[in-house]
Amino acid sequence: MSRVVAGLDIGTNFIRVVIAKVDADQKPEVIGISKRPSPPEAFRQGGIVNIDDVSRVVREAVTEAEYEAGEEVSEVFTAIGGDRVESRNERGMCGVDTSERNRRLEITESTKQRAIKAARAINVAIDRKIIHIIPQEYVIDGISYRNPIGNIGNRLEVSVHLVSASQDAIATVEECILRSGYFNGGITLKTLAVANCVLNSDEMELGCVLIDLGAGTTDVMVLNKGSPVFTASVPLGQNLVTNDIAIIKNIPFQQAEKIKVESGCCFTELEGLEEEVVVPGVGGKGPELTTKFEIAQIIESRMTEIMKEVIKEVVRNSGLHTLGGGVILTGGGALMNGIIDLTQKLWHTNSVRVGCAGDYGFAKNLSYRDPDFATAMGIVLRNKTAKEPKKGRKPGEDKEKKSIFGKIGSGIKNLF
């Protein structure tokens, strides 16, 4: 029996949706996608500041994907990132023998969960909520294990990666989904969803850095030995690149964005940058000619600043000294010409690639495999084993029905 899963990525510049049908073997097949521009002025530093406008576009995006898929969904899964998310590594420990006789017994799932619960028993600020507890390593009587179940011992220790998010940010995202007329299936850390989509087991085992180049922020996750060891967000995004072009060339933001997308490059050492670019005139001023090289100088300066901030965070906090798995780039910024070359230069490694989703069908539109769709596709992959979606009338339908009955009730009352 198959079921339908919808992944929703609420981004600063675009809202993306992927709908997939998951068969009994947990194999997803994409059946519908959509991409809509986010409402202007609805985000600030990666956070939602206008719930109504965002809800409207979410509804439009999901409806468009539903139409393409030929399926209706009642719930959507989404992700959260940016500076509203924090992470830390903690350790927990428990005795295997619950009778306190200190016997060497077999480690069971119950033992494992008691150790994880002990690691989770930390003081979290009242305005924050833990959204992920990711085990990194288990230790039984001083010996490390990837999976402790079935082994014998006295004491079980566990190292976990705890991810928490702002209660306000979570509530805002949930409210956006409800107002758009859908149930919230669950919220995932954005970089964790992306990792599900673009990383392979070898990269995660050897040690790699995942960098999501978003419009409002740049999110980073460091993974080693198969698990996350560090998660952070740099409050610098691709909109700053566009803003630099707009200021230097004295043109509106939207025109600067068009030049960035169509003619932009972030590495001035590439060939072919002598080609001319027309900068449109503004306020009676005629158009002027520049070159791709001059635009690349503007872009490279800001992209270098962003990448150096990411490097600083990783070096200072991850404890990872070698990158056997390299650097993987996703998000809209990963579509920039020259991004691999610039990253190789700044990270001093040739092991850099752009992360894209695998092939999940839907030959008529493969844009879900682009790096800017990695979050939405990753949300689907992470939730392909989720429970059956909630049944019943959608939140929007309840509201509509309530308003109709309210009018009827008012009419009856006025009649009497």
Side-chain angles (χ1 to χ4, degrees):
M1 180 180 176
S2 62
R3 58 182 297 267
V4 175
V5 178
L8 168 67
D9 175 21
I10 304 175
T12 302
N13 279 8
F14 289 95
I15 291 174
R16 301 172 179 86
V17 178
V18 173
I19 297 179
K21 183 171 288 186
V22 182
D23 63 21
D25 297 325
Q26 308 301 336
K27 182 179 179 182
E29 177 187 5
V30 175
I31 56 176
I33 66 173
S34 69
K35 177 179 177 179
R36 288 289 184 99
S38 298
E41 308 300 325
F43 292 83
R44 188 170 299 125
Q45 294 181 337
I48 299 170
V49 294
N50 190 323
I51 295 178
D52 286 334
D53 282 356
V54 173
S55 301
R56 173 180 52 80
V57 179
V58 167
R59 181 168 57 251
E60 293 171 356
V62 178
T63 301
E64 182 181 326
E66 287 177 319
Y67 179 80
E68 191 171 50
E71 295 276 356
E72 187 176 3
V73 299
S74 58
E75 72 174 6
V76 295
F77 296 86
T78 190
I80 191 170
D83 60 4
R84 303 171 303 285
V85 174
E86 295 177 358
S87 72
R88 58 197 289 184
N89 296 320
E90 294 289 340
R91 293 182 68 84
M93 178 185 69
C94 72
V96 179
D97 186 2
T98 56
S99 68
E100 298 183 357
R101 286 182 284 176
N102 202 29
R103 294 175 296 175
R104 289 177 57 83
L105 299 176
E106 180 180 343
I107 309 293
T108 64
E109 179 65 29
S110 174
T111 316
K112 177 178 165 182
Q113 292 305 319
R114 284 194 291 115
I116 293 174
K117 185 177 180 180
R120 189 220 182 283
I122 60 169
N123 291 324
V124 178
I126 194 170
D127 62 339
R128 304 195 66 79
K129 178 182 179 181
I130 294 178
I131 58 174
H132 294 296
I133 306 173
I134 308 168
Q136 298 168 322
E137 178 190 34
Y138 296 93
V139 177
I140 303 173
D141 299 338
I143 301 175
S144 177
Y145 292 86
R146 189 62 60 88
N147 183 4
I149 295 178
N151 293 287
I152 306 296
N154 291 106
R155 185 178 66 178
L156 176 64
E157 299 175 65
V158 62
S159 299
V160 299
H161 187 65
L162 292 176
V163 181
S164 66
S166 160
Q167 294 269 23
D168 288 343
I170 293 173
T172 300
V173 172
E174 290 175 339
E175 184 63 22
C176 277
I177 293 173
L178 285 173
R179 289 192 193 181
S180 67
Y182 298 91
F183 292 109
N184 171 37
I187 298 178
T188 303
L189 173 65
K190 186 175 183 180
T191 43
L192 195 59
V194 174
N196 275 98
C197 179
V198 305
L199 299 184
N200 59 57
S201 57
D202 289 339
E203 288 171 328
M204 292 189 287
E205 186 67 28
L206 293 170
C208 65
V209 177
L210 175 65
I211 304 173
D212 186 73
L213 298 162
T217 61
T218 300
D219 295 342
V220 57
M221 174 178 279
V222 180
L223 300 99
N224 192 32
K225 296 181 181 179
S227 302
V229 296
F230 173 65
T231 306
S233 180
V234 174
L236 304 172
Q238 300 304 296
N239 281 352
L240 289 178
V241 177
T242 304
N243 198 52
D244 289 346
I245 298 173
I247 292 173
I248 293 174
K249 291 301 178 182
N250 194 26
I251 56 176
F253 184 91
Q254 294 304 322
Q255 293 182 355
E257 178 72 15
K258 188 172 185 290
I259 290 175
K260 183 186 77 173
V261 172
E262 295 179 355
S263 306
C265 175
C266 63
F267 195 62
T268 54
E269 297 176 31
L270 292 182
E271 297 180 356
L273 298 181
E274 65 279 355
E275 184 179 335
E276 291 184 335
V277 177
V278 177
V279 178
V282 178
K285 175 186 172 185
E288 65 174 88
L289 287 178
T290 185
T291 63
K292 285 187 175 181
F293 179 80
E294 187 176 346
I295 299 297
Q297 286 180 308
I298 300 171
I299 297 174
E300 183 181 49
S301 176
R302 179 66 77 172
M303 291 299 293
T304 298
E305 178 195 4
I306 293 173
M307 197 60 75
K308 284 185 175 180
E309 283 298 314
V310 172
I311 293 171
K312 187 190 302 181
E313 287 291 318
V314 170
V315 171
R316 184 172 56 196
N317 297 299
S318 73
L320 193 64
H321 301 291
T322 59
L323 289 176
V327 180
I328 298 88
L329 306 170
T330 64
L335 296 168
M336 176 81 68
N337 185 27
I339 188 63
I340 290 180
D341 304 89
L342 180 65
T343 306
Q344 288 175 335
K345 178 181 178 181
L346 296 176
W347 285 85
H348 305 290
T349 178
N350 290 325
S351 185
V352 177
R353 70 175 181 88
V354 172
C356 301
D359 186 356
Y360 296 99
F362 205 56
K364 68 178 182 180
N365 191 344
L366 294 176
S367 60
Y368 71 87
R369 301 190 65 184
D370 293 341
D372 60 327
F373 263 92
T375 299
M377 191 66 224
I379 293 168
V380 169
L381 296 176
R382 184 164 180 83
N383 293 285
K384 64 182 181 179
T385 59
K387 298 177 181 178
E388 284 295 314
K390 297 174 182 177
K391 304 296 182 181
R393 199 172 283 108
K394 294 180 184 178
E397 293 173 335
D398 287 335
K399 184 177 180 181
E400 183 179 353
K401 182 178 180 182
K402 183 177 180 181
S403 64
I404 292 172
F405 280 113
K407 292 176 182 177
I408 294 173
S410 297
I412 294 171
K413 184 178 180 181
N414 291 335
L415 179 65
F416 281 97

